[in-house]
Amino acid sequence: MVSQSSSFESQYSPKASIFSSCKDSFFQFEHEIETHRQQAVIAIFLSVVQQFCGHPNVLNYAPEIFKQAGLASPQSSLGATLLIGVIKFIVTCAVIWKIEFLGRRFLLLSGMSTIAVSLIMLSISFFGTEERQMGSFWGYVATLSVFGVILGYAASFGPLTWLLTSEMFPAAVRGRALGASTLVSYLSASLVSYTFLSGQQLFGPCVPFVMYSIITSVGLAFACLAIPDTGDRSPEEIEADIQDMWWWKKTARNATDLVGTDGHNAMSTYASMDHSPGQSERKIIV
């Protein structure tokens, strides 16, 4: 009786109920993500690239970047940093105001293009500065490029990462998808932030900007080929639009070809085996 009572209590205790509920919720979320695999890939892409485009470091280390670019006085550096915040606020407000008119896809691609070009100019500006002082011309270019990264981010990743993620997923999984995207974004931001100054010291001042520009350029290509516009569309319509994008058509075709090749090989192997009736009967008798 005691063992039966303890077994009953362990089965119906609040702790067991919470564990069972969490397990069921996890498997349900896993099933939903597998069902919406392409949307999950896009959401993870947005969460990762919005950090690996270098925006957190350009924003957090703006005074140090301005100092390296030749803005030596604290007043100039502080003024430029304050101007970054003003520009970011104005651009974000403008995007929220005109997003339905301009479209999500246009803003995402134009913002990422601005970030990529600005990072390339930053890379050129800081190239070789470990051996020489940056010239005044390239100092102005670097300063304008910092503002370009901020402007491009405020027009694209800043407001659109969470908006696109929320619009792609149905209501049943939307909250957990946003939570997972936030977790991935914070992890990516931590990794990017902790490697900027050490990367400059180890590999040179321009190398982190080169890496950010490569990641942003590759991300821009993926966004062009894989992410549709989500404005005024239901999750079901967005899923159909995703299926029509070149990237997902190509991956689906490759997967179909792979399955077809494996099936053909399996059929060829089966046909090459000896299946004479006499032999089969002998095998059954044995």
Side-chain angles (χ1 to χ4, degrees), residues 55 59 83-93 150 153-154:
H55 168 266
L59 188 64
L83 187 58
I84 284 177
V86 173
I87 291 175
K88 192 173 183 180
F89 174 77
I90 293 174
V91 173
T92 302
C93 291
I150 300 301
Y153 184 90

Side-chain angles (χ1 to χ4, degrees), residues 59-233:
L59 188 64
N60 295 334
Y61 298 105
E64 178 66 23
I65 295 174
F66 289 140
K67 181 179 178 181
Q68 295 177 9
L71 295 179
S73 68
Q75 293 79 8
S76 300
S77 179
L78 178 61
T81 304
L82 291 175
L83 187 58
I84 284 177
V86 173
I87 291 175
K88 192 173 183 180
F89 174 77
I90 293 174
V91 173
T92 302
C93 291
V95 168
I96 294 173
W97 179 36
K98 288 294 185 180
I99 189 170
E100 300 299 336
F101 174 76
L102 296 173
R104 282 96 162 135
R105 179 176 164 85
F106 171 78
L107 287 170
L108 180 65
L109 298 182
S110 59
M112 291 182 69
S113 301
T114 304
I115 295 172
V117 172
S118 300
L119 288 170
I120 291 172
M121 298 310 296
L122 270 173
S123 303
I124 297 173
S125 301
F126 280 91
F127 180 75
T129 53
E130 65 273 16
E131 299 176 354
R132 57 175 175 77
Q133 185 69 27
M134 184 184 297
S136 59
F137 172 77
W138 289 111
Y140 290 124
V141 171
T143 303
L144 292 176
S145 299
V146 169
F147 288 113
V149 172
I150 300 301
L151 187 151
Y153 184 90
S156 56
F157 288 120
L160 293 179
T161 296
W162 315 115
L163 178 62
L164 292 177
T165 301
S166 65
E167 290 178 338
M168 287 188 300
F169 289 95
V173 73
R174 183 174 300 151
R176 284 170 289 180
L178 284 168
S181 297
T182 303
L183 179 62
V184 172
S185 179
Y186 284 164
L187 291 174
S188 302
S190 300
L191 181 60
V192 170
S193 298
Y194 285 124
T195 56
F196 177 67
L197 292 179
S198 58
Q200 281 195 323
Q201 293 173 358
L202 289 174
F203 305 109
C206 73
V207 172
F209 299 117
V210 172
M211 297 302 300
Y212 301 153
S213 64
I214 292 173
I215 293 172
T216 306
S217 299
V218 173
L220 177 61
F222 177 80
C224 289
L225 301 174
I227 303 179
D229 202 322
T230 61
D232 296 326
R233 311 285 286 173

Side-chain angles (χ1 to χ4, degrees), residues 22-33:
C22 292
K23 184 174 69 173
D24 293 342
S25 179
F26 172 78
F27 284 120
Q28 181 184 0
F29 179 63
E30 184 182 25
H31 172 72
E32 291 287 350
I33 291 299

Side-chain angles (χ1 to χ4, degrees), residues 216-282:
T216 306
S217 299
V218 173
L220 177 61
F222 177 80
C224 289
L225 301 174
I227 303 179
D229 202 322
T230 61
D232 296 326
R233 311 285 286 173
S234 67
E236 292 75 18
E237 293 173 328
I238 294 172
E239 184 173 3
D241 292 340
I242 290 175
Q243 299 291 340
D244 289 335
M245 298 299 292
W246 181 89
W247 180 273
W248 304 115
K249 283 183 177 180
K250 184 70 174 176
T251 54
R253 190 180 304 119
N254 291 341
T256 302
D257 293 342
L258 181 61
V259 171
T261 303
D262 291 343
H264 177 73
N265 292 337
M267 290 298 295
S268 299
T269 303
Y270 181 79
S272 65
M273 296 173 62
D274 184 10
H275 291 288
S276 61
Q279 186 179 7
S280 300
E281 290 175 2
R282 286 195 299 271

